Amino acid sequence: MSESLKADCESCFGLCCVALPFSASADFAIDKDAGQPCPNLETDFRCGIHRDLRKRGFPGCTVYDCFGAGQKVSQVTFSGRDWRQAPETATQMFAVFPVVRQLHELMWYLTEALTLAPARELHDELRAALDETGRLSRGDADDLLVLDVPAHRQAVNTLLLRTSELARAGSPRRKNRRGADLIGAKLKGADLIGAKLKGADLRAADLRGAYLIGADLRGADLRLADLIGADLRGTELGGADLTGSIFLTQPQLNAAKGDGATKLSPTLTRPAHWSAPDRPRRATR
């Protein structure tokens, strides 16, 4: 995956800590309005409690990923002028950041799509979409603020869906579970929250946009499953096989609960807060 689509906090002006709002909850210890700097943000744009975010009540910060939008807006869109030294840029900078973040997320998906050999017939279209999305992300602030992001996202999503269909077509097991219709008619919509799917064979399943909050997917086979937009907050993934899963992002993994036995594709990083795998117990005499 391109380094430009990975967050480089050293080159960012702490935009996610300022531009975005959050509310006191299980994810954040306090309320913060959009455009208001987090009280933990230091003068050098570093987080003062970075190593203890979870202990201090800010697990939501450990889940977030800007896909490299922070450094793009800081160093390219605003040419290295930070909002503290140039306060006249602040309002516009904070408004541009989530726009570029959405574009970079699309670039992440398109870049992955180009690695899927079964979808090679779409590679020219995917490259064109990637180039156009990259061009849009490099626009000036005024252009970015009037960009119709939903329309562009819809066009890209249509292409990604076609890619997913081709990539999963040859799987020995393929069931349509799009929109959270997982196993038969009993599990639909919100019923997937907390669903018991331990050890389930979900190879090549269409789980686009599925609500799997708190679901038990320990030991499940998710190879080639399309997980774009799936909500994995608190999802149990211990021992699950996610190698080759399609459109799975680092923020989704960060929000889930896995362990050392969870199998991942090499483009993804095992979150530091995941537990170690359970050790087998010794037989007693």
Side-chain angles (χ1 to χ4, degrees):
M1 192 61 65
S2 171
E3 290 298 317
S4 65
L5 299 179
K6 298 179 181 179
D8 177 8
C9 297
E10 294 290 333
S11 300
C12 178
F13 301 143
L15 296 185
C16 64
C17 305
V18 187
L20 307 179
F22 51 73
S23 300
S25 62
D27 292 321
F28 300 100
I30 59 173
D31 292 321
K32 188 191 82 66
D33 294 331
Q36 173 188 341
C38 174
N40 299 310
L41 185 66
E42 299 184 333
T43 56
D44 60 357
F45 303 113
R46 294 173 182 266
C47 174
I49 61 169
H50 179 71
R51 294 183 179 180
D52 300 310
L53 281 166
R54 288 183 170 271
K55 294 179 182 179
R56 300 283 290 272
F58 291 87
C61 296
T62 68
V63 171
Y64 183 79
D65 192 307
C66 74
F67 295 98
Q71 66 259 29
K72 170 72 75 62
V73 173
S74 299
Q75 303 301 330
V76 178
T77 314
F78 287 88
S79 304
R81 293 178 300 152
D82 73 67
W83 51 271
R84 280 182 171 142
Q85 293 181 344
E88 69 278 5
T89 67
T91 299
Q92 195 175 47
M93 187 181 298
F94 301 155
V96 163
F97 172 63
V99 174
V100 176
R101 197 267 185 190
Q102 290 183 70
L103 294 174
H104 271 226
E105 182 180 11
L106 292 176
M107 291 167 66
W108 176 282
Y109 293 137
L110 289 165
T111 300
E112 180 179 337
L114 283 167
T115 68
L116 302 175
R120 62 173 60 88
E121 66 187 65
L122 297 177
H123 281 192
D124 287 345
E125 292 180 68
L126 289 166
R127 288 192 189 92
L130 178 59
D131 290 343
E132 174 62 8
T133 307
R135 183 190 69 78
L136 292 173
S137 76
R138 294 188 295 274
D140 62 30
D142 291 332
D143 289 339
L144 285 163
L145 289 176
V146 298
L147 179 64
D148 189 347
V149 178
H152 184 69
R153 178 181 286 276
Q154 180 58 46
V156 172
N157 279 342
T158 299
L159 185 55
L160 293 175
L161 178 57
R162 292 166 58 198
T163 300
S164 173
E165 291 286 343
L166 289 171
R168 295 181 296 112
S171 173
R173 178 183 178 89
R174 184 177 176 218
K175 293 187 177 181
N176 183 12
R177 301 183 176 91
R178 188 178 180 188
D181 180 13
L182 274 176
I183 297 179
K186 294 183 178 180
L187 294 175
K188 291 182 180 292
D191 288 342
L192 287 180
I193 297 175
K196 306 301 182 183
L197 297 166
K198 185 177 181 180
D201 184 353
L202 299 173
R203 283 175 292 170
D206 187 347
L207 296 172
R208 296 168 68 91
Y211 290 99
L212 291 162
I213 303 169
D216 186 354
L217 287 168
R218 288 174 295 169
D221 190 343
L222 290 154
R223 289 174 293 172
L224 276 182
D226 185 344
L227 290 164
I228 194 169
D231 194 333
L232 301 181
R233 284 178 292 170
T235 306
E236 297 283 354
L237 294 174
D241 190 346
L242 292 154
T243 53
S245 56
I246 302 171
F247 304 137
L248 175 64
T249 65
Q250 193 64 48
Q252 287 172 295
L253 278 184
N254 293 345
K257 298 178 181 179
D259 60 24
T262 306
K263 298 179 181 178
L264 303 174
S265 296
T267 56
L268 297 167
T269 302
R270 192 177 309 277
H273 64 272
W274 279 14
S275 65
D278 293 334
R279 294 182 179 179
R281 296 180 179 179
R282 292 182 178 181
T284 58
R285 294 181 180 180

